[in-house]
Amino acid sequence: MRPSPMAARAASGCSSAALAFFRLRPLGRATRLAPAGRSAFGATAACRGRLVDSVLQELRSRRRVRVSARIGLQGTKELSDSKIEKRTIQKGLLLEFHKDSERSLLAVVERPDGKKNWVVTDQNGILSSIKPQQVTYVVPGTMDFDCSRIAEFLEKAQDLLDPTILECAWMELSEKDKSVTVEEFADIVYGSKESLESYCAHFLLSRDIVYFVKVESRGSSIYQPRPSAQVDELLRRKLAKEAADKELEEFVHLLKSAKALPLGSKPPKNSWLMEEKVKQKIESLQAYAVDVCNDEQRRMAGNILKAMGFARTSSAALKLLINVGYFPVHVNLDLFRYDVQTTYTEKVLSVAEELLVDCPDSDKHVRKDLSNLRVYAIDVDEADELDDALSATRLPDGRIKVWIHVADPTCFLQPRSILDREAMHRGTSIFLPTATFPMFPERLAMNAMSLQQGTDCRSVSVSVILHPDGSIAEYSIENSVIKPTYMLTYEGATELLYMNLEEEKDLRILQEAASIRAQWRRSQGFNRHCYDRTSYQGGKSG
């Protein structure tokens, strides 16, 4: 019979203890496991290779008949007839119990505690009261065990806890489809059912997640070899988990290193986004901090916070991101909650720079030259983009004509171009107390697409002629070219009106137009903040 790839891999990776198992030699205490780098048989690496070859040859030629006979395996799916005496908990026994969900400890039973519980002294010398349900294994042959010997017992056990034994034993037992008790497993791999060997067998089997599955039979714990396909899948998952654990460890090291740096020396934000594996983890923390994460991001962020020693809360994630320099101290989380894009790709920035250098005006032949008007752009002092302005003049018949000029950024765009798609995705410019995020790249938005004082600017101008009562007599909309005269704040415009300069009569006409227009709106049922659409019928709207 040709050994399976799994068998070949197992044999080549087996320890000296496992090889001895295949060669049918019960392991004595002195030769069970050799120190790292030396075979239990005293062979060199080449000798060990020959041992593996001989094992495989034996598997091929003799079909492991002698192995089956040695371990007393019976017919398929039949359990050993030997009955394991049911051991009740009593004073002096050595047992293993669950301390919590992540720890199991050895302990010696001291005395009963009430009707069901027991007081034990664990391997750390701590007295605890445990429930019977916490007991995971009672070590056989340990009556009147001295708790001071637990450390010595564990030290000896370390020499026998070789995980490769599991794979080798699985190969042998799965071929015959045999299930075993802990003691039977100890006898197979160590050649003994004594206390130490039985505990080591229990330790390996109970913590194994690949080769054996625990089943209950007649009050005893039976371990059954898993099918080959299942083992292959579990091995794949185990390797993937080990790789993920290593990645997590490396990422946590990065976080701790960045956290320890002074404020001015923190790594820049983009450095966390360069490598895909690091980017996924930092973005999981970000999503967790703003509470917009999916299940995978929540799991990953929780593992990171736990590894860092932080509580699994959004505030802890936020604090960590600030401490490593990924977030500024005064971060606006709504930018992340609503996925607001605050940066531009290199391609978008490159296209914007090209437009600043050369942008022909397809509407040039239809633009009306209004550069002779006095144009007032009035806004708050903190305004970054100046995109509207006003002009006014008095007609010969005494009526007032007002122009509302609006910057024309669309003349820079071709429909469905990269800039057009970027603007459609963003929807609007965002103005915050701490920052402004324009819909277009900043140099384009703040310069060519805005109104500039003393410069010919492309705009769309709405002209409105008012009746003396403030209602609209007529209007027109046209593409235009204007040359803004003043860039004023509201306070500056008010001061200029108080100065009552002759050359600023157009500004006073604007003030008059605003006054009569306000009176008309009030007469129609409007106020400063809202209006009732049903309060007027017919006529021109305001």
Side-chain angles (χ1 to χ4, degrees), residues 34-97:
R38 292 192 295 123
S39 167
F41 305 101
T44 62
C47 181
R48 183 184 179 199
R50 289 195 297 273
L51 278 172
V52 173
D53 290 340
S54 68
V55 169
L56 291 177
Q57 185 177 2
E58 182 179 4
L59 293 178
R60 294 189 188 99
S61 62
R62 305 184 61 179
R63 302 180 64 179
R64 289 181 282 187
V65 173
R66 194 172 65 170
V67 175
S68 298
R70 164 66 181 82
I71 62 178
L73 295 176
Q74 303 167 12
T76 303
K77 294 186 179 179
E78 292 180 6
L79 299 176
S80 171
D81 290 334
S82 61
K83 296 181 180 180
I84 306 301
E85 180 184 355
K86 186 177 180 180
R87 288 180 291 274
T88 58
I89 300 176
Q90 54 186 294
K91 177 177 171 58
L93 280 178
L94 178 65
L95 55 76
E96 181 189 75
F97 73 99

Side-chain angles (χ1 to χ4, degrees), residues 522-538:
R522 284 193 293 271
S523 71
Q524 301 300 310
F526 292 86
N527 58 40
R528 290 185 60 187
H529 305 293
C530 62
Y531 60 89
D532 181 357
R533 292 181 181 273
T534 63
S535 64
Y536 63 93
Q537 297 177 358

Side-chain angles (χ1 to χ4, degrees), residues 481-514:
V481 175
I482 62 172
K483 183 179 290 187
T485 310
Y486 290 111
M487 299 294 186
L488 299 172
T489 63
Y490 292 111
E491 295 77 12
T494 301
E495 184 178 351
L496 199 58
L497 283 170
Y498 283 155
M499 292 173 68
N500 199 25
L501 300 175
E502 177 62 28
E503 60 269 27
E504 302 304 334
K505 62 180 181 180
D506 290 350
L507 186 59
R508 291 195 297 274
I509 294 173
L510 271 175
Q511 183 187 34
E512 181 182 347

Side-chain angles (χ1 to χ4, degrees), residues 28-276:
R29 287 183 182 272
T31 61
R32 287 190 182 101
L33 282 180
R38 292 192 295 123
S39 167
F41 305 101
T44 62
C47 181
R48 183 184 179 199
R50 289 195 297 273
L51 278 172
V52 173
D53 290 340
S54 68
V55 169
L56 291 177
Q57 185 177 2
E58 182 179 4
L59 293 178
R60 294 189 188 99
S61 62
R62 305 184 61 179
R63 302 180 64 179
R64 289 181 282 187
V65 173
R66 194 172 65 170
V67 175
S68 298
R70 164 66 181 82
I71 62 178
L73 295 176
Q74 303 167 12
T76 303
K77 294 186 179 179
E78 292 180 6
L79 299 176
S80 171
D81 290 334
S82 61
K83 296 181 180 180
I84 306 301
E85 180 184 355
K86 186 177 180 180
R87 288 180 291 274
T88 58
I89 300 176
Q90 54 186 294
K91 177 177 171 58
L93 280 178
L94 178 65
L95 55 76
E96 181 189 75
F97 73 99
H98 279 312
K99 179 70 173 178
D100 50 44
S101 60
E102 297 181 355
R103 288 185 301 166
S104 292
L105 301 177
L106 281 181
V108 174
V109 180
E110 298 292 346
R111 61 181 182 275
D113 184 20
K115 292 183 178 180
K116 295 183 179 180
N117 296 351
W118 290 86
V119 174
V120 299
T121 302
D122 67 27
Q123 62 195 60
N124 300 314
I126 299 174
L127 281 174
S128 303
S129 177
I130 64 172
K131 300 176 181 179
Q133 302 93 299
Q134 292 178 255
V135 177
T136 53
Y137 186 66
V138 177
V139 181
T142 57
M143 296 296 294
D144 300 322
F145 195 88
D146 187 347
C147 62
S148 65
R149 294 174 51 210
I150 296 179
E152 178 188 357
F153 185 89
L154 287 172
E155 185 178 354
K156 290 180 179 179
Q158 290 302 313
D159 292 336
L160 299 179
L161 296 176
D162 185 350
T164 59
I165 291 174
L166 287 165
E167 186 170 7
C168 297
W170 171 82
M171 288 167 51
E172 186 65 32
L173 294 169
S174 62
E175 183 176 288
K176 298 296 183 180
D177 197 10
K178 296 301 175 181
S179 300
V180 290
T181 64
V182 169
E183 286 78 9
E184 288 170 339
F185 188 87
D187 192 36
I188 291 171
V189 299
Y190 298 123
S192 170
K193 296 182 181 180
E194 294 181 10
S195 305
L196 183 64
E197 288 78 8
S198 292
Y199 169 72
C200 291
H202 158 74
F203 187 95
L204 291 172
L205 288 170
S206 63
R207 289 154 178 81
D208 171 46
I209 60 172
V210 175
Y211 299 105
F212 293 89
V213 60
K214 183 179 179 181
V215 296
E216 296 293 334
S217 176
R218 302 175 186 176
S220 299
S221 294
I222 306 297
Y223 287 87
Q224 186 176 45
R226 297 179 188 270
S228 296
Q230 191 177 99
V231 167
D232 286 337
E233 174 62 18
L234 290 172
L235 278 174
R236 184 192 65 77
R237 293 183 187 180
K238 181 181 178 183
L239 292 174
K241 183 179 184 303
E242 288 173 354
D245 289 344
K246 184 178 179 182
E247 285 180 16
L248 176 61
E249 182 181 351
E250 292 172 350
F251 181 70
V252 167
H253 177 72
L254 284 176
L255 291 175
K256 290 181 177 179
S257 299
K259 187 172 178 288
L261 291 172
L263 185 60
S265 303
K266 304 288 186 185
K269 181 176 181 177
N270 60 358
S271 68
W272 296 96
L273 307 175
M274 296 174 65
E275 186 179 343
E276 186 60 29

